[in-house]
Amino acid sequence: MNRKLLIAAAIAACAFTACSGRGTSAASAPAARQPAPAVHTFSDDSAFALVAAQVEMGPRTPGSQASRRCAAWIESRLRAAGADTVMLQQGSVLRYDGTTLPACNILGRFAPQASRRVLLAAHYDTRPWADMEPDAAQRMEPIDGANDGASGVAVLLEIARCLGLQQAPVGVDILLVDAEDSGYGELTAPPGTRDNGDSWCLGTQMWTASAPYAGTASPAYAILLDMVGGQGARFHREQFSDAFAPRIVDRIWAEAAALGYADTFVNEPGGAVIDDHVYLRRAGIPAVDIIESLNPATGSFPPTWHTSQDNIHNIDPATLGRVGRTVLSLLYNEK
């Protein structure tokens, strides 16, 4: 995934006070209840196999053969899961260094007639350069993106399969976006080039610019999954999510606690990340980012981030399952 961590605490504090009207609050767990049967149909092993299938295609950098194969594979998986509609958005985006990249976004819709909808999103592209690799000789190599890319896609495709078995009480849109992780990098930037923040999430920017919900019901909220398969992963409350959609953050972390996952979904503030949810929110959709881990104590992403170690060996099926069942539980408990 891309990720520009915003270190400036003042910026984050401003976002909190100006946009949320309150600070982060502890989410109390809902009363114990039996999750919908489909929550238990989410398979950790199936999700892991979906990560492995993507990694086997090779790095899914925009415009590559692996990227095209992955897009076609995602489309076929959504159709096989029973999505009522599958749409592809093809276009091009401009990278920060002036390079034009082809981009393909894929949207699968379940119960498109439903007026209340929830949008789930993840990116399927991978970072073209391992610019955080300790070995300088490897920093211009693309990465497998097992966690940063493939994990979010895998969880959403497994969620799609579960939705095909038992429809949720709301409509669900599943969006897989391209060209998220080709943002600014010091190793490849032309002299004098600076990162303005908008060099990331180009696929989502292309999608929101098309006014995808013009004339139809816009999602009540969106959940973005990014880096959701790491071993021992911990998910803190991402700051922009808490600023713009605090009640949804409360509900997600409460669902996780009710399922016994409070040690994975840590109900404490994390860092702020420029990710796809920022652009969804700019398009008028309240959005939450479930991302590892932005622990304020470390101020950094997992050690595999943007390195050659972001591979299948560092993916934990149990982490995929905890995220998937939390999101499914939220969907099935929608009113």
Side-chain angles (χ1 to χ4, degrees):
M1 84 157 338
N2 59 8
R3 280 0 155 282
K4 179 183 178 182
L5 176 61
L6 298 186
I7 303 298
I11 295 177
C14 178
F16 267 76
T17 56
C19 302
S20 73
R22 67 173 188 72
T24 302
S25 63
S28 57
R33 60 174 177 269
Q34 185 67 25
V39 172
H40 296 299
T41 67
F42 188 100
S43 168
D44 301 10
D45 291 339
S46 292
F48 182 81
L50 292 169
V51 174
Q54 293 171 78
V55 171
E56 288 172 3
M57 296 178 195
R60 284 84 61 209
T61 54
S64 66
Q65 182 179 0
S67 175
R68 292 189 291 271
R69 285 181 59 201
C70 191
W73 175 80
I74 289 170
E75 179 186 5
S76 68
R77 298 292 307 195
L78 288 171
R79 294 190 188 280
D84 297 281
T85 306
V86 180
M87 298 177 285
L88 273 65
Q89 180 193 34
Q90 308 250 4
S92 60
V93 295
L94 189 65
R95 200 168 68 185
Y96 68 91
D97 60 356
T99 301
T100 298
L101 301 174
C104 176
N105 298 324
I106 308 110
L107 179 71
R109 308 196 79 198
F110 290 80
Q113 75 284 354
S115 59
R116 181 170 174 82
R117 313 198 60 76
V118 175
L119 174 65
L120 307 178
H123 75 93
Y124 69 89
D125 65 303
T126 55
R127 183 70 169 160
W129 319 283
D131 42 0
M132 298 301 293
E133 177 67 38
D135 183 355
Q138 298 183 43
R139 289 176 187 163
M140 293 304 294
E141 298 297 321
I143 67 172
D144 285 349
N147 195 24
D148 194 357
S151 66
V153 173
V155 170
L156 292 190
L157 291 179
E158 179 62 9
I159 284 175
R161 186 187 67 81
C162 296
L163 292 173
L165 297 174
Q166 179 182 338
Q167 183 173 314
V170 290
V172 179
D173 292 344
I174 295 181
L175 175 66
L176 291 315
V177 296
D178 197 359
E180 185 271 355
D181 218 355
S182 292
Y184 180 85
E186 293 182 359
L187 296 178
T188 56
T193 304
R194 295 184 178 180
D195 186 9
N196 64 3
D198 287 337
S199 66
W200 304 97
C201 311
L202 299 179
T204 296
Q205 292 186 59
M206 181 178 80
W207 188 73
T208 56
S210 70
Y213 290 103
T216 62
S218 180
Y221 60 88
I223 301 174
L224 174 67
L225 304 184
D226 205 343
M227 297 201 294
V228 292
Q231 296 184 14
R234 297 292 180 267
F235 305 104
H236 291 71
R237 299 168 64 113
E238 190 273 331
Q239 286 189 21
F240 287 135
S241 305
D242 239 344
F244 301 137
R247 291 179 179 84
I248 305 303
V249 176
D250 285 347
R251 289 181 58 199
I252 294 169
W253 265 249
E255 290 290 345
L259 292 170
Y261 305 152
D263 58 334
T264 297
F265 284 76
V266 180
N267 194 29
E268 297 174 359
V273 190
I274 293 179
D275 206 347
D276 294 297
H277 69 308
V278 170
Y279 299 94
L280 294 174
R281 191 266 174 184
R282 289 184 187 177
I285 304 172
V288 172
D289 194 3
I290 300 177
I291 180 173
E292 183 196 358
S293 66
L294 288 174
N295 186 334
T298 63
S300 63
F301 290 105
T304 62
W305 177 61
H306 289 185
T307 74
S308 61
Q309 294 304 302
D310 186 2
N311 56 44
I312 195 66
H313 303 295
N314 286 309
I315 296 297
D316 185 355
T319 302
L320 299 170
R322 287 186 168 209
V323 174
R325 279 185 287 276
T326 296
V327 174
L328 273 175
S329 185
L330 182 74
L331 293 176
Y332 288 119
N333 282 294
E334 275 286 345
K335 296 181 175 60

